Amino acid sequence: MKKKSNVKFLLLAAVTLFVLVFQPTQTLASGSTFLNQIPPSPFSSSIIAPLGFFDPSNQYLEQGETKIIDNGDQTVTIEMSTTSYSQVASIGATVTLQMWTGGVWADVGTSTTKSKSNDWYFKDKVTKVVSRGYYFRVKSTHWINTGSVYEQGVMVSNSILIK
């Protein structure tokens, strides 16, 4: 009975994460007209952040964390960390900055991948340019690769308003 309950929980968690993380997004093109309008707050929805899912049956990948920090100069610092249960050949994270357009979270610029070799813990940060008057968040994929095993988990950071 416990096994059936665990399967139901994992299925529900996976579906919930999929709906929240992979909600409609679009990539911003330079010169987009909607960038000149301040969109309404994303907090009118029932989204609670940060969100994420890491498979509890992972052999190596334990957890990941991503933070977005307003530097006050139209840049943000994205801090990322990934933890493994033991040393792996490669451990890291891929982060994508997203901006709330008033209807969807749109990917901004290109994703950044950082990694470390032969370790159980990885931590790094990257700085990105942002626009005032918009909400930003980070979608991150934390991963390990060792031998023939590749595991990953997805996180979405809290969102912040750039003033």
Side-chain angles (χ1 to χ4, degrees), residues 81-100:
S81 65
T82 306
T83 306
S84 177
Y85 292 112
S86 60
Q87 182 173 314
V88 292
S90 183
I91 185 169
T94 300
V95 294
T96 304
L97 183 66
Q98 295 185 319
M99 183 178 85
W100 181 249

Side-chain angles (χ1 to χ4, degrees), residues 8 26 28 33 40 43 52 64 81 87 95 116 118 120 123-124 132 155 158:
K8 285 182 182 178
Q26 58 185 216
L28 297 176
T33 57
F43 300 112
S81 65
Q87 182 173 314
V95 294
K116 191 174 185 182
N118 300 316
W120 64 274
K123 184 174 185 174
D124 207 337
R132 285 192 172 97
M155 296 291 295
N158 60 313

Side-chain angles (χ1 to χ4, degrees), residues 58-119:
N58 280 341
Q59 256 184 290
Y60 298 96
L61 183 61
E62 182 177 4
Q63 67 181 10
E65 185 177 357
T66 305
K67 294 179 183 176
I68 182 170
I69 302 161
D70 184 356
N71 295 327
D73 60 357
Q74 288 189 267
T75 67
V76 293
T77 297
I78 300 168
E79 295 180 349
M80 60 195 108
S81 65
T82 306
T83 306
S84 177
Y85 292 112
S86 60
Q87 182 173 314
V88 292
S90 183
I91 185 169
T94 300
V95 294
T96 304
L97 183 66
Q98 295 185 319
M99 183 178 85
W100 181 249
T101 66
V104 296
W105 285 103
D107 292 348
V108 179
T110 59
S111 298
T112 301
T113 298
K114 300 279 190 166
S115 64
K116 191 174 185 182
S117 298
N118 300 316
D119 212 332

Side-chain angles (χ1 to χ4, degrees), residues 13 16 18 23 25 28 40 48 54 64 76 83 85 89 103 105 110-111 121 137 145 149 153:
T16 301
F18 180 82
Q23 58 183 305
T25 61
L28 297 176
I48 300 171
F54 285 74
V76 293
T83 306
Y85 292 112
W105 285 103
T110 59
S111 298
Y121 181 74
R137 73 177 188 182
N145 193 5
V149 178

Side-chain angles (χ1 to χ4, degrees), residues 42-59:
F43 300 112
S44 59
S45 68
S46 60
I47 298 173
I48 300 171
L51 300 170
F53 179 75
F54 285 74
D55 188 340
S57 66
N58 280 341
Q59 256 184 290

